[in-house]
Structures are given as structure tokens and as C-alpha cells.
Amino acid sequence: MGRVTDEDGNHIKGINIVFQGNGNSINKELYRTVTDENGRYSTDYIHWGAGEKIYQATYTDVDGAENGGHFENKTHLIIDMERKQTGESDGWYQGKFELTTEVKLKAKSTE
């Protein structure tokens, strides 16, 4: 779960978030979601273990001025997110985790 805001702390609706993996194919898209009216998003597709592992999230402004401005894209590494284990591990499977992050996007230059 997370929240996306502008540099002033205002929430941004409609930011597209793509989670990418590093398992069998580098940069393979594993999950996609969009921020709600409060700039929040969540996913339960976070897995740690053999096979596909999510290692980054990319935040993209896909609707421009409709969400209060034009914002630059940003990529956030999963290792930089706060992690809380919510499911037990079993052998190679490291368990289920809840990841939390606050992401601030910069406004695109109008020049």
C-alpha cells in the first residue's frame, strides 16, 4: 500500500503504477494499479521466493492536467519500501509482505 503526492503533499489521483519483476525475464510487468482520489493504492501481489520477484514500481502520470498537473515519472525500488511480514515463510518461500511507501512526484517543467 502506498500514497502518491506532489511536492507540496497534495494527493494525486490517477497515477498509473506498474510493478516489475526480476525473475525469469528482467523488467517483466507483474501487476498494475492506479491511485484513488486520495492518492492511495494497494496490491496483494507482493511475493518473495523463487520465481518472479517484484523489485521496482514505476509511477506514471497518464492523465495530465486531469489530476491537478503534469508530473514526471518516477521509479521506486522495493528495497527502499518499508516491509512488514504478514504471512509465514515455508522453505524457499519467504512469506507474504505488506509494503508501505510515500512517493512524491515532481511537476513537469512547462518550458
Side-chain angles (χ1 to χ4, degrees):
M1 66 174 47
R3 183 170 178 238
V4 180
T5 64
D6 64 15
E7 292 181 299
D8 295 324
N10 301 307
H11 53 78
I12 307 173
K13 175 184 175 182
I15 297 296
N16 190 47
I17 304 156
V18 175
F19 295 91
Q20 295 173 304
N22 67 348
N24 297 325
S25 61
I26 300 298
N27 294 330
K28 178 180 178 183
E29 180 180 320
L30 299 174
Y31 187 81
R32 178 182 295 257
T33 191
V34 177
T35 57
D36 66 15
E37 61 277 352
N38 295 312
R40 297 200 178 277
Y41 68 91
S42 64
T43 175
D44 62 359
Y45 189 88
I46 306 298
H47 298 275
W48 251 259
E52 300 293 348
K53 296 179 188 177
I54 293 177
Y55 79 102
Q56 71 181 27
T58 302
Y59 303 81
T60 306
D61 178 2
V62 294
D63 61 7
E66 288 184 38
N67 63 24
H70 296 276
F71 298 94
E72 295 180 1
N73 296 346
K74 183 172 186 173
T75 298
H76 196 95
L77 298 177
I78 298 296
I79 199 163
D80 295 334
M81 296 182 182
E82 180 182 327
R83 287 185 284 187
K84 177 178 140 186
Q85 190 160 3
T86 60
E88 293 186 27
S89 62
D90 180 20
W92 59 266
Y93 180 65
Q94 295 180 22
K96 186 173 181 179
F97 292 80
E98 179 180 283
L99 303 175
T100 305
T101 188
E102 299 277 329
V103 175
K104 291 186 184 284
L105 297 182
K106 293 181 181 182
K108 281 187 179 177
S109 174
T110 56
E111 296 176 11

